[in-house]
Amino acid sequence: MSQDYPRDASLIVPNISSYQITANAPLKLGIMASGNGSNFEAIFQAIADGKLNAQIQVLIYNNPGAKAAIRATNRGIDALLINHRDYQNREYFDKQIVDKLRQYDVEWVILAGWMRLLTPVLIDAFADKIINIHPSLLPSFKGIRAVEQALAAGVKIAGCTAHIACLEMDSGRILAQAAVPVFPDDTPETLHARIQVQEYQILPQAIALAAQS
Ligand code: GAR
């Protein structure tokens, strides 16, 4: 019975317990977030714990009031607001982002709850070096409200995916996935919380994996 399944059960593939890159210089990360920023926090913590050899150069956020900006500032990391509402189209918006990422000498771009579609301007500027985290087992449930989509579909296993971003939304080479059980009494909030615990594991791991491959 799924009710009896441990609430914190998970399956992460690949199963890498230690993913620190020791031989290379720290990866220079630019993190992009639209809202809460708990994945930003998880990356910061993985670095602080010595699990990921990286440094966060800058946080870019697009929504004024995004909690991610407060989290970054509190940790001494520059938080830049680039508000998509100030740009006439997606390309101009992405151009401004690319310019800032370059200014901060960013090598790897991490979409940690970034809720805007990317254009070739950004994808091509950081080809194969943009990593996205999405709260579903891709290729199922792309786009917004992925957790609600999974619940509506009645799946018994949900999860999250870290992947290389490409032009097609929530697509691209998969780096790591984590699966969690779905319970009959789950709401979007309880299921999302269970998935997020796993996001915090696989996103730093995926960054290390991508950099090694
Ligand atoms: C995360 O669950 C992430 O997977 C999702 O937004 C949330 C951000 O949480 N991303 C997407 O849905 C992208 N398609 P956070 O702001 O607390 O890190």
Side-chain angles (χ1 to χ4, degrees):
M1 297 286 286
S2 63
Q3 289 94 321
D4 299 329
Y5 218 77
R7 293 246 157 195
D8 61 353
S10 68
L11 171 68
I12 293 181
V13 181
N15 180 14
I16 298 176
S17 53
S18 172
Y19 45 86
Q20 185 172 20
I21 302 169
T22 48
N24 302 331
L27 306 171
K28 294 177 187 168
L29 310 181
I31 301 188
M32 294 168 55
S34 295
N36 181 30
S38 65
N39 276 286
F40 165 87
E41 195 87 45
I43 296 166
F44 184 93
Q45 201 54 50
I47 295 169
D49 292 345
K51 292 180 177 170
L52 177 64
N53 187 14
Q55 58 197 37
I56 301 173
Q57 308 286 99
V58 64
L59 171 83
I60 289 176
Y61 65 107
N62 64 309
N63 287 321
K67 200 174 163 195
I70 299 166
R71 293 183 195 261
T73 307
N74 285 345
R75 280 153 190 77
I77 290 168
D78 285 358
L80 302 186
L81 173 63
I82 303 180
N83 189 335
H84 59 278
R85 300 162 190 88
D86 296 339
Y87 296 84
Q88 62 191 87
N89 61 41
R90 291 182 190 278
E91 286 74 16
Y92 280 118
F93 175 55
D94 277 1
K95 176 74 171 68
Q96 178 67 6
I97 292 171
V98 168
D99 288 350
K100 288 296 174 192
L101 291 171
R102 293 238 188 275
Q103 200 175 307
Y104 276 85
D105 200 21
V106 165
E107 285 177 298
W108 289 88
V109 180
I110 315 301
L111 308 177
W114 181 254
M115 305 308 278
R116 305 295 302 168
L117 293 174
L118 306 186
T119 71
V121 172
L122 185 53
I123 294 279
D124 294 346
F126 290 90
D128 290 326
K129 292 204 158 184
I130 306 176
I131 297 171
N132 183 43
I133 182 78
H134 183 73
S136 78
L137 291 172
L138 291 173
S140 294
F141 313 127
K142 297 176 181 179
I144 59 168
R145 301 201 173 84
V147 179
E148 284 90 333
Q149 291 182 54
L151 280 177
V155 297
K156 301 299 179 203
I157 297 174
C160 50
T161 304
H163 64 97
I164 298 288
C166 63
L167 257 190
E168 196 187 325
M169 179 188 63
D170 298 326
S171 301
R173 183 165 65 88
I174 291 174
L175 297 164
Q177 290 186 303
V180 298
V182 179
F183 296 102
D185 61 352
D186 265 328
T187 64
E189 291 73 30
T190 60
L191 180 54
H192 194 201
R194 191 175 308 119
I195 291 170
Q196 286 221 279
V197 171
Q198 303 306 318
E199 291 185 337
Y200 308 150
Q201 301 300 314
I202 71 166
L203 184 52
Q205 173 180 320
I207 294 167
L209 276 173
Q212 283 167 333
S213 57

